[in-house]
Amino acid sequence: LIWIEGQLPSEHVLLVNLLRESAATSAEATKFDNAVERYQQLAQTYSERITKESNRLDLYEGRSQALIAQADMYQRTGNLQSAQNAYLAACEDIRIAETLQTADAYLLEQEIHTQTQLALLQYQTTEADSAIEKIDGSIQQLRQLISTHGAT
């Protein structure tokens, strides 16, 4: 279930929706390993499209959401290093999306959430000083976001 060469845009949308629903269903059934695999396939599907259309904001947003969900599942399985790697990859996609378009409140909120989750993981994996710096930065970003866009 990955991107197929020559696939029509409507087929890509269908595949993305199927993978997202399959992953969410697996997570709800506490089949976290299966959910991790589906979110990986979803991220890979977006990656295949990004190689062909690297200027599309929606593809980076979609991949970052898949990576965040995958990181959440990794945390539930206790695989903290993989969770940290997925959060880092999601942060990179969010940064790229911000360069493609002026960052809106949603993207900024996603970045803050992802940075906070990454900091909490670092704290759990004995990187306490780095984690505290990231959390302080997230708090400052959140305060700025609220003052600029209001509370969500």
Side-chain angles (χ1 to χ4, degrees), residues 86-139:
Y87 281 129
L88 285 169
C91 285
E92 182 60 26
D93 278 354
I94 291 168
R95 280 189 212 102
I96 292 169
E98 288 172 344
T99 65
L100 292 173
Q101 175 180 317
T102 304
D104 60 10
Y106 173 76
L107 276 177
L108 293 172
E109 186 176 324
Q110 284 293 96
E111 181 179 17
I112 293 166
H113 167 76
T114 305
Q115 289 286 352
T116 302
Q117 291 299 327
L118 181 58
L120 293 172
L121 274 173
Q122 287 178 327
Y123 188 78
Q124 291 175 10
T125 58
T126 69
E127 297 177 36
D129 292 338
S130 177
I132 291 169
E133 286 178 27
K134 279 189 174 50
I135 290 173
D136 288 343
S138 293
I139 291 169

Side-chain angles (χ1 to χ4, degrees), residues 1-148:
L1 292 176
I2 59 172
W3 169 255
I4 300 168
E5 184 68 36
Q7 189 177 38
L8 297 172
S10 61
E11 293 170 330
H12 170 76
V13 171
L14 178 60
L15 179 58
V16 163
N17 288 337
L18 286 171
L19 287 170
R20 188 178 291 124
E21 286 300 317
S22 175
T25 301
S26 294
E28 287 174 14
T30 65
K31 296 180 179 177
F32 302 125
D33 290 331
N34 190 27
V36 163
E37 183 180 326
R38 291 293 181 246
Y39 283 123
Q40 176 59 39
Q41 290 173 335
L42 181 57
Q44 180 61 34
T45 299
Y46 279 112
S47 294
E48 292 290 328
R49 284 297 296 269
I50 287 170
T51 62
K52 295 171 182 16
E53 302 176 77
S54 63
N55 62 340
R56 290 200 32 204
L57 171 71
D58 62 313
L59 298 177
Y60 288 99
E61 287 178 333
R63 186 169 66 180
S64 71
Q65 291 168 357
L67 290 165
I68 291 167
Q70 183 184 34
D72 292 343
M73 294 302 104
Y74 275 133
Q75 280 189 274
R76 289 178 181 221
T77 64
N79 190 341
L80 301 184
Q81 185 60 53
S82 293
Q84 186 172 346
N85 292 338
Y87 281 129
L88 285 169
C91 285
E92 182 60 26
D93 278 354
I94 291 168
R95 280 189 212 102
I96 292 169
E98 288 172 344
T99 65
L100 292 173
Q101 175 180 317
T102 304
D104 60 10
Y106 173 76
L107 276 177
L108 293 172
E109 186 176 324
Q110 284 293 96
E111 181 179 17
I112 293 166
H113 167 76
T114 305
Q115 289 286 352
T116 302
Q117 291 299 327
L118 181 58
L120 293 172
L121 274 173
Q122 287 178 327
Y123 188 78
Q124 291 175 10
T125 58
T126 69
E127 297 177 36
D129 292 338
S130 177
I132 291 169
E133 286 178 27
K134 279 189 174 50
I135 290 173
D136 288 343
S138 293
I139 291 169
Q140 285 183 313
Q141 285 181 307
L142 186 57
R143 285 182 178 149
Q144 184 175 2
L145 178 65
I146 291 170
S147 81
T148 304

